[in-house]
Amino acid sequence: MPKMKSVRGAAKRFKVGKNKIKRGSAFRSHILTKKPSKRMRDLRQSHYVDSTNVSSVKKMLCI
């Protein structure tokens, strides 16, 4: 049986911690001049994948 391959796009976007999967924030790639600096500061922080999406992300990462 061949090896399981993870989805490479997902492997670049998610990091697996002890019990949660970390993700980056959206809305920070372009049109940044109109966004307040407080919002940009908050978007810098990493977040966790929502519980409704954890199973699909785990499948993509072959966990």
Side-chain angles (χ1 to χ4, degrees), residues 6-59:
S6 61
V7 177
R8 298 312 296 159
K12 294 169 189 173
R13 285 174 172 84
F14 301 109
K15 298 285 179 247
V16 180
K18 284 186 178 179
N19 54 359
K20 291 189 178 181
I21 301 173
K22 286 172 72 170
R23 64 170 177 84
S25 297
F27 309 111
R28 34 176 324 211
S29 57
H30 59 96
I31 316 175
L32 304 176
T33 53
K34 63 173 78 168
K35 293 173 188 164
S37 53
K38 181 184 178 190
R39 182 177 172 192
M40 294 306 297
R41 240 190 343 267
D42 291 339
L43 288 174
R44 242 182 264 148
Q45 309 302 319
S46 59
H47 299 284
Y48 295 110
V49 173
D50 192 64
S51 60
T52 56
N53 301 322
V54 167
S55 62
S56 61
V57 172
K58 281 186 176 180
K59 279 182 193 170

